[in-house]
mmCIF file of all heavy atoms in Angstrom:
data_model
loop_
_atom_site.group_PDB
_atom_site.id
_atom_site.type_symbol
_atom_site.label_atom_id
_atom_site.label_comp_id
_atom_site.label_asym_id
_atom_site.label_seq_id
_atom_site.Cartn_x
_atom_site.Cartn_y
_atom_site.Cartn_z
ATOM 1 N N GLU F 212 45.224 -53.299 188.030
ATOM 2 C CA GLU F 212 46.605 -53.510 188.413
ATOM 3 C C GLU F 212 47.623 -52.837 187.421
ATOM 4 O O GLU F 212 48.769 -52.713 187.741
ATOM 5 C CB GLU F 212 46.948 -54.966 188.530
ATOM 6 C CG GLU F 212 46.169 -55.771 189.515
ATOM 7 C CD GLU F 212 44.789 -56.235 189.090
ATOM 8 O OE1 GLU F 212 44.343 -55.835 187.971
ATOM 9 O OE2 GLU F 212 44.141 -56.955 189.841
ATOM 10 N N ALA F 213 47.117 -52.535 186.205
ATOM 11 C CA ALA F 213 48.047 -52.339 185.034
ATOM 12 C C ALA F 213 49.085 -51.262 185.171
ATOM 13 O O ALA F 213 50.210 -51.406 184.767
ATOM 14 C CB ALA F 213 47.249 -52.138 183.766
ATOM 15 N N THR F 214 48.673 -50.131 185.719
ATOM 16 C CA THR F 214 49.704 -48.999 185.777
ATOM 17 C C THR F 214 50.830 -49.358 186.706
ATOM 18 O O THR F 214 52.042 -49.216 186.313
ATOM 19 C CB THR F 214 49.025 -47.707 186.177
ATOM 20 O OG1 THR F 214 47.825 -47.536 185.423
ATOM 21 C CG2 THR F 214 49.953 -46.482 185.918
ATOM 22 N N GLY F 215 50.469 -49.886 187.935
ATOM 23 C CA GLY F 215 51.502 -50.239 188.826
ATOM 24 C C GLY F 215 52.366 -51.436 188.361
ATOM 25 O O GLY F 215 53.606 -51.382 188.378
ATOM 26 N N TYR F 216 51.683 -52.478 187.916
ATOM 27 C CA TYR F 216 52.419 -53.579 187.399
ATOM 28 C C TYR F 216 53.315 -53.131 186.228
ATOM 29 O O TYR F 216 54.428 -53.542 186.148
ATOM 30 C CB TYR F 216 51.466 -54.627 186.757
ATOM 31 C CG TYR F 216 50.810 -55.614 187.773
ATOM 32 C CD1 TYR F 216 50.769 -55.371 189.168
ATOM 33 C CD2 TYR F 216 50.307 -56.830 187.357
ATOM 34 C CE1 TYR F 216 50.159 -56.225 190.024
ATOM 35 C CE2 TYR F 216 49.687 -57.705 188.211
ATOM 36 C CZ TYR F 216 49.670 -57.386 189.563
ATOM 37 O OH TYR F 216 49.082 -58.281 190.427
ATOM 38 N N GLY F 217 52.773 -52.326 185.380
ATOM 39 C CA GLY F 217 53.550 -51.906 184.178
ATOM 40 C C GLY F 217 54.802 -51.136 184.598
ATOM 41 O O GLY F 217 55.874 -51.331 184.042
ATOM 42 N N ALA F 218 54.691 -50.282 185.615
ATOM 43 C CA ALA F 218 55.870 -49.430 186.011
ATOM 44 C C ALA F 218 56.938 -50.446 186.599
ATOM 45 O O ALA F 218 58.138 -50.240 186.340
ATOM 46 C CB ALA F 218 55.418 -48.448 187.135
ATOM 47 N N ALA F 219 56.506 -51.444 187.280
ATOM 48 C CA ALA F 219 57.454 -52.451 187.848
ATOM 49 C C ALA F 219 58.126 -53.233 186.691
ATOM 50 O O ALA F 219 59.335 -53.467 186.754
ATOM 51 C CB ALA F 219 56.781 -53.375 188.853
ATOM 52 N N PHE F 220 57.362 -53.615 185.725
ATOM 53 C CA PHE F 220 57.889 -54.336 184.529
ATOM 54 C C PHE F 220 58.932 -53.401 183.866
ATOM 55 O O PHE F 220 59.928 -53.869 183.392
ATOM 56 C CB PHE F 220 56.803 -54.720 183.506
ATOM 57 C CG PHE F 220 55.976 -55.927 183.964
ATOM 58 C CD1 PHE F 220 54.563 -55.889 183.820
ATOM 59 C CD2 PHE F 220 56.607 -57.056 184.535
ATOM 60 C CE1 PHE F 220 53.841 -57.018 184.182
ATOM 61 C CE2 PHE F 220 55.822 -58.164 184.841
ATOM 62 C CZ PHE F 220 54.413 -58.100 184.738
ATOM 63 N N PHE F 221 58.581 -52.081 183.731
ATOM 64 C CA PHE F 221 59.460 -51.223 183.045
ATOM 65 C C PHE F 221 60.781 -51.116 183.831
ATOM 66 O O PHE F 221 61.893 -51.120 183.286
ATOM 67 C CB PHE F 221 58.826 -49.789 182.952
ATOM 68 C CG PHE F 221 59.501 -48.860 181.924
ATOM 69 C CD1 PHE F 221 59.080 -48.844 180.661
ATOM 70 C CD2 PHE F 221 60.614 -48.156 182.340
ATOM 71 C CE1 PHE F 221 59.763 -48.028 179.686
ATOM 72 C CE2 PHE F 221 61.277 -47.351 181.392
ATOM 73 C CZ PHE F 221 60.881 -47.292 180.041
ATOM 74 N N ALA F 222 60.631 -50.975 185.128
ATOM 75 C CA ALA F 222 61.881 -50.916 186.071
ATOM 76 C C ALA F 222 62.718 -52.179 185.804
ATOM 77 O O ALA F 222 63.973 -52.124 185.733
ATOM 78 C CB ALA F 222 61.436 -50.744 187.468
ATOM 79 N N GLN F 223 62.078 -53.293 185.773
ATOM 80 C CA GLN F 223 62.779 -54.540 185.542
ATOM 81 C C GLN F 223 63.604 -54.546 184.225
ATOM 82 O O GLN F 223 64.711 -54.952 184.239
ATOM 83 C CB GLN F 223 61.818 -55.739 185.542
ATOM 84 C CG GLN F 223 62.482 -57.102 185.509
ATOM 85 C CD GLN F 223 61.410 -58.210 185.380
ATOM 86 O OE1 GLN F 223 60.383 -58.037 184.633
ATOM 87 N NE2 GLN F 223 61.637 -59.289 186.030
ATOM 88 N N ALA F 224 62.945 -54.024 183.218
ATOM 89 C CA ALA F 224 63.581 -53.930 181.909
ATOM 90 C C ALA F 224 64.832 -53.027 182.000
ATOM 91 O O ALA F 224 65.843 -53.348 181.421
ATOM 92 C CB ALA F 224 62.587 -53.457 180.851
ATOM 93 N N MET F 225 64.736 -51.938 182.711
ATOM 94 C CA MET F 225 65.885 -51.027 182.892
ATOM 95 C C MET F 225 66.967 -51.752 183.626
ATOM 96 O O MET F 225 68.181 -51.586 183.257
ATOM 97 C CB MET F 225 65.464 -49.819 183.729
ATOM 98 C CG MET F 225 64.648 -48.817 183.069
ATOM 99 S SD MET F 225 63.986 -47.616 184.250
ATOM 100 C CE MET F 225 65.390 -46.472 184.406
ATOM 101 N N MET F 226 66.647 -52.470 184.600
ATOM 102 C CA MET F 226 67.664 -53.189 185.427
ATOM 103 C C MET F 226 68.385 -54.269 184.589
ATOM 104 O O MET F 226 69.567 -54.443 184.662
ATOM 105 C CB MET F 226 67.029 -53.827 186.652
ATOM 106 C CG MET F 226 66.574 -52.875 187.674
ATOM 107 S SD MET F 226 65.543 -53.640 188.958
ATOM 108 C CE MET F 226 64.931 -52.164 189.797
ATOM 109 N N GLU F 227 67.617 -54.905 183.743
ATOM 110 C CA GLU F 227 68.209 -56.024 182.916
ATOM 111 C C GLU F 227 69.243 -55.457 182.038
ATOM 112 O O GLU F 227 70.254 -56.111 181.756
ATOM 113 C CB GLU F 227 67.113 -56.690 182.138
ATOM 114 C CG GLU F 227 66.348 -57.634 182.976
ATOM 115 C CD GLU F 227 65.101 -58.269 182.292
ATOM 116 O OE1 GLU F 227 64.898 -58.003 181.086
ATOM 117 O OE2 GLU F 227 64.283 -58.909 182.967
ATOM 118 N N VAL F 228 69.109 -54.262 181.515
ATOM 119 C CA VAL F 228 70.132 -53.640 180.676
ATOM 120 C C VAL F 228 71.461 -53.493 181.402
ATOM 121 O O VAL F 228 72.524 -53.644 180.856
ATOM 122 C CB VAL F 228 69.654 -52.253 180.139
ATOM 123 C CG1 VAL F 228 70.759 -51.527 179.471
ATOM 124 C CG2 VAL F 228 68.442 -52.379 179.231
ATOM 125 N N ALA F 229 71.321 -53.221 182.668
ATOM 126 C CA ALA F 229 72.544 -53.116 183.576
ATOM 127 C C ALA F 229 72.928 -54.450 184.181
ATOM 128 O O ALA F 229 73.764 -54.470 185.075
ATOM 129 C CB ALA F 229 72.230 -52.071 184.657
ATOM 130 N N GLY F 230 72.323 -55.561 183.673
ATOM 131 C CA GLY F 230 72.635 -56.896 184.207
ATOM 132 C C GLY F 230 72.168 -57.078 185.649
ATOM 133 O O GLY F 230 72.734 -57.891 186.460
ATOM 134 N N GLU F 231 71.052 -56.384 186.036
ATOM 135 C CA GLU F 231 70.575 -56.397 187.419
ATOM 136 C C GLU F 231 69.126 -56.950 187.475
ATOM 137 O O GLU F 231 68.544 -57.141 186.368
ATOM 138 C CB GLU F 231 70.647 -55.067 188.086
ATOM 139 C CG GLU F 231 72.030 -54.521 188.199
ATOM 140 C CD GLU F 231 72.039 -53.179 188.890
ATOM 141 O OE1 GLU F 231 70.996 -52.850 189.564
ATOM 142 O OE2 GLU F 231 73.029 -52.494 188.781
ATOM 143 N N SER F 232 68.639 -57.101 188.660
ATOM 144 C CA SER F 232 67.202 -57.404 188.796
ATOM 145 C C SER F 232 66.702 -56.808 190.110
ATOM 146 O O SER F 232 67.451 -56.099 190.762
ATOM 147 C CB SER F 232 66.987 -58.998 188.876
ATOM 148 O OG SER F 232 67.432 -59.372 190.096
ATOM 149 N N PHE F 233 65.414 -57.033 190.402
ATOM 150 C CA PHE F 233 64.821 -56.445 191.694
ATOM 151 C C PHE F 233 65.310 -57.199 192.893
ATOM 152 O O PHE F 233 65.175 -56.737 193.994
ATOM 153 C CB PHE F 233 63.298 -56.608 191.568
ATOM 154 C CG PHE F 233 62.595 -55.302 191.177
ATOM 155 C CD1 PHE F 233 61.930 -55.205 189.963
ATOM 156 C CD2 PHE F 233 62.661 -54.223 192.043
ATOM 157 C CE1 PHE F 233 61.234 -54.026 189.621
ATOM 158 C CE2 PHE F 233 61.974 -53.043 191.683
ATOM 159 C CZ PHE F 233 61.277 -52.954 190.509
ATOM 160 N N GLU F 234 65.926 -58.398 192.675
ATOM 161 C CA GLU F 234 66.380 -59.217 193.806
ATOM 162 C C GLU F 234 67.218 -58.410 194.756
ATOM 163 O O GLU F 234 68.177 -57.772 194.387
ATOM 164 C CB GLU F 234 67.248 -60.380 193.226
ATOM 165 C CG GLU F 234 67.094 -61.649 193.950
ATOM 166 C CD GLU F 234 65.593 -62.143 194.136
ATOM 167 O OE1 GLU F 234 64.896 -62.342 193.045
ATOM 168 O OE2 GLU F 234 65.185 -62.344 195.239
ATOM 169 N N GLY F 235 66.783 -58.340 195.966
ATOM 170 C CA GLY F 235 67.605 -57.664 197.059
ATOM 171 C C GLY F 235 67.450 -56.122 197.044
ATOM 172 O O GLY F 235 68.122 -55.515 197.837
ATOM 173 N N LYS F 236 66.590 -55.575 196.250
ATOM 174 C CA LYS F 236 66.473 -54.117 196.133
ATOM 175 C C LYS F 236 65.376 -53.600 197.021
ATOM 176 O O LYS F 236 64.249 -54.207 197.097
ATOM 177 C CB LYS F 236 66.303 -53.687 194.689
ATOM 178 C CG LYS F 236 67.576 -53.832 193.852
ATOM 179 C CD LYS F 236 67.526 -52.933 192.606
ATOM 180 C CE LYS F 236 68.878 -52.953 191.887
ATOM 181 N NZ LYS F 236 69.451 -54.224 191.567
ATOM 182 N N ARG F 237 65.555 -52.455 197.618
ATOM 183 C CA ARG F 237 64.563 -51.758 198.366
ATOM 184 C C ARG F 237 63.903 -50.677 197.571
ATOM 185 O O ARG F 237 64.601 -49.897 196.893
ATOM 186 C CB ARG F 237 65.182 -51.018 199.534
ATOM 187 C CG ARG F 237 65.313 -51.771 200.852
ATOM 188 C CD ARG F 237 66.264 -51.020 201.781
ATOM 189 N NE ARG F 237 65.660 -49.767 202.286
ATOM 190 C CZ ARG F 237 65.010 -49.637 203.449
ATOM 191 N NH1 ARG F 237 64.965 -50.632 204.259
ATOM 192 N NH2 ARG F 237 64.578 -48.422 203.832
ATOM 193 N N ALA F 238 62.558 -50.644 197.559
ATOM 194 C CA ALA F 238 61.883 -49.590 196.795
ATOM 195 C C ALA F 238 61.033 -48.757 197.703
ATOM 196 O O ALA F 238 60.454 -49.225 198.674
ATOM 197 C CB ALA F 238 60.991 -50.303 195.774
ATOM 198 N N THR F 239 60.886 -47.440 197.384
ATOM 199 C CA THR F 239 59.868 -46.573 198.035
ATOM 200 C C THR F 239 58.893 -46.164 196.943
ATOM 201 O O THR F 239 59.317 -45.793 195.806
ATOM 202 C CB THR F 239 60.526 -45.322 198.641
ATOM 203 O OG1 THR F 239 61.310 -44.708 197.710
ATOM 204 C CG2 THR F 239 61.377 -45.705 199.883
ATOM 205 N N VAL F 240 57.639 -46.257 197.326
ATOM 206 C CA VAL F 240 56.572 -45.977 196.294
ATOM 207 C C VAL F 240 55.624 -44.949 196.947
ATOM 208 O O VAL F 240 54.960 -45.254 197.843
ATOM 209 C CB VAL F 240 55.773 -47.291 196.003
ATOM 210 C CG1 VAL F 240 54.727 -47.044 194.896
ATOM 211 C CG2 VAL F 240 56.711 -48.419 195.578
ATOM 212 N N SER F 241 55.652 -43.719 196.402
ATOM 213 C CA SER F 241 54.784 -42.714 196.969
ATOM 214 C C SER F 241 53.367 -42.939 196.503
ATOM 215 O O SER F 241 53.125 -43.499 195.443
ATOM 216 C CB SER F 241 55.328 -41.334 196.621
ATOM 217 O OG SER F 241 55.190 -41.126 195.197
ATOM 218 N N GLY F 242 52.435 -42.403 197.285
ATOM 219 C CA GLY F 242 51.035 -42.631 196.993
ATOM 220 C C GLY F 242 50.556 -43.884 197.633
ATOM 221 O O GLY F 242 51.289 -44.671 198.188
#
Side-chain angles (χ1 to χ4, degrees):
E212 296 84 353
T214 312
Y216 276 19
F220 284 138
F221 195 94
Q223 186 186 37
M225 287 169 83
M226 290 170 192
E227 283 173 6
V228 170
E231 297 181 18
S232 75
F233 261 113
E234 215 56 58
K236 287 198 172 55
R237 269 168 69 97
T239 51
V240 182
S241 64

